[in-house]
């Protein structure tokens, strides 16, 4: 990981600081990408990194991003969104938001960056979720479909791009993020996954010598 240029997309989100810290600790150079310029600038300063604003659900935006960023050794896509609703009453806009944030972001990032990743024998990491792993869940139709799509998409890329290490990271429970603490004030975070543990597991899996981890389900302590 030392000296690797690693694009971190969704870098303004809750999970990003743990990944950025882990990357910097391992000697990598993170490059931050997101939609919220203010949040990105603050984080980029904190990690001594460059940042780029892009809408990852827009293929023209990801192509322009790849052009601007230049060669990278890794892409970590942390972009995503969550909402719950029964399928029969899901607003079409909510459905499209789940697909765009969770799945289209990964598809268009992969499309734009795979040539560079293959050239440098790099890696691509996407984040699924328990709902995608289990192929569903009550009130999770749009979210689960998007996250199952993440697994299917990464499976296709794994066989198409033998020079790229592909990792599907699958948090099997809630992560202890500020957003989840706000959304579930009565829940006990001790039963959640620690962001630092998730980031360390993912980077260890990517750096594995002599083999490849493709899908990595991560459970909270005690599960
Ligand atoms: N937190 C959990 O418990 C949990 C559990 C399982 C899986 N995951 C997955 O882990 C990943 C990171 O989670 P998180 O908690 O960090 O989520 P988060 O705090 O909601 O951050 C997600 C980030 O993605 C960005 N994003 C969404 N759509 C985008 C687009 N079209 N272009 C560019 N950026 C876009 C968001 O930007 P804006 O702020 O502009 O919307 C936000 O900064 C997500 O894929 C999530 O589904 C999380």
């Amino acid at each position: 990981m030392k000296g690797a240029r690693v694009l971190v997309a969704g870098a303004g989100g809750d999970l990003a600081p743990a990944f950025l810290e882990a990357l910097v600790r391992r000697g990598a150079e993170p490059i931050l990408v997101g939609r919220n310029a203010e949040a990105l600038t603050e984080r980029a300063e904190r990690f001594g990194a460059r940042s780029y604003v892009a809408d990852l659900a827009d293929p023209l935006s990801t192509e322009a991003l790849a052009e601007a960023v230049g060669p990278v050794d890794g892409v970590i896509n942390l972009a995503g969104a969550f909402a719950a609703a029964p399928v029969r009453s899901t607003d079409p806009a909510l459905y499209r938001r789940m697909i765009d944030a969770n799945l289209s972001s990964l598809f268009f990032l992969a499309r734009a960056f795979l040539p560079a990743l293959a050239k440098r024998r790099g890696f691509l990491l996407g984040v699924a979720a328990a709902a995608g792993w289990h192929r569903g869940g009550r009130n999770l139709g749009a979210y689960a479909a998007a996250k199952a799509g993440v697994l299917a998409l990464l499976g296709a890329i794994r066989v198409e791009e033998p020079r790229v290490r592909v990792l599907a990271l699958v948090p099997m429970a809630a992560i202890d993020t500020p957003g989840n603490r706000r959304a579930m004030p009565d829940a006990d975070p001790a039963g959640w996954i620690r962001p630092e543990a998730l980031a360390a597991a993912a980077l260890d899996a990517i750096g594995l010598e002599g083999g490849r981890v493709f899908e990595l389900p991560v459970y909270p302590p005690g599960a």
Side-chain angles (χ1 to χ4, degrees), residues 66-155:
E67 190 74 35
V69 168
V72 294
D73 302 286
V75 170
I76 295 177
N77 185 29
L78 303 176
F82 174 81
V87 171
R88 62 162 71 187
S89 57
T90 292
D91 188 316
L94 185 149
Y95 165 75
R96 293 209 170 90
R97 189 161 65 82
M98 291 302 105
I99 299 294
D100 276 352
N102 292 295
L103 181 56
S104 304
S105 61
L106 182 63
F107 194 99
F108 294 130
L109 274 172
R111 192 173 174 278
F113 282 93
L114 277 172
L117 291 176
K119 205 177 271 176
R120 291 164 74 108
R121 292 190 172 273
F123 69 86
L124 172 67
L125 184 159
V127 188
W133 184 262
H134 296 309
R135 308 292 190 272
R138 186 181 298 278
N139 296 338
L140 294 175
Y143 179 73
K147 290 302 195 185
V150 166
L151 295 172
L153 171 59
L154 291 172

Side-chain angles (χ1 to χ4, degrees), residues 9-17 19 33-36 39-40 43 53-58 61 77-82 97 100-102 104-105 126-130 143 147 150 169-180 182 184 192-193 198:
D14 278 351
L15 197 49
F19 274 85
V33 178
R35 281 193 302 200
N36 180 335
L40 280 185
R43 279 203 179 150
V53 173
D55 179 358
L56 303 169
D58 172 2
S61 181
N77 185 29
L78 303 176
F82 174 81
R97 189 161 65 82
D100 276 352
N102 292 295
S104 304
S105 61
V127 188
Y143 179 73
K147 290 302 195 185
V150 166
L169 180 64
V170 194
M172 296 299 282
I175 304 164
D176 187 0
T177 61
N180 279 337
R182 274 194 307 275
M184 297 178 270
W192 294 348
I193 303 166
L198 198 60

Side-chain angles (χ1 to χ4, degrees), residues 8 11 18 21 27 81 85 101 119 123 142 158 160 165-167 187-189:
V8 179
E21 269 158 32
K119 205 177 271 176
F123 69 86
R158 185 179 72 82
E160 287 173 8
R165 277 167 291 151
V166 176
L167 178 66
D188 180 5

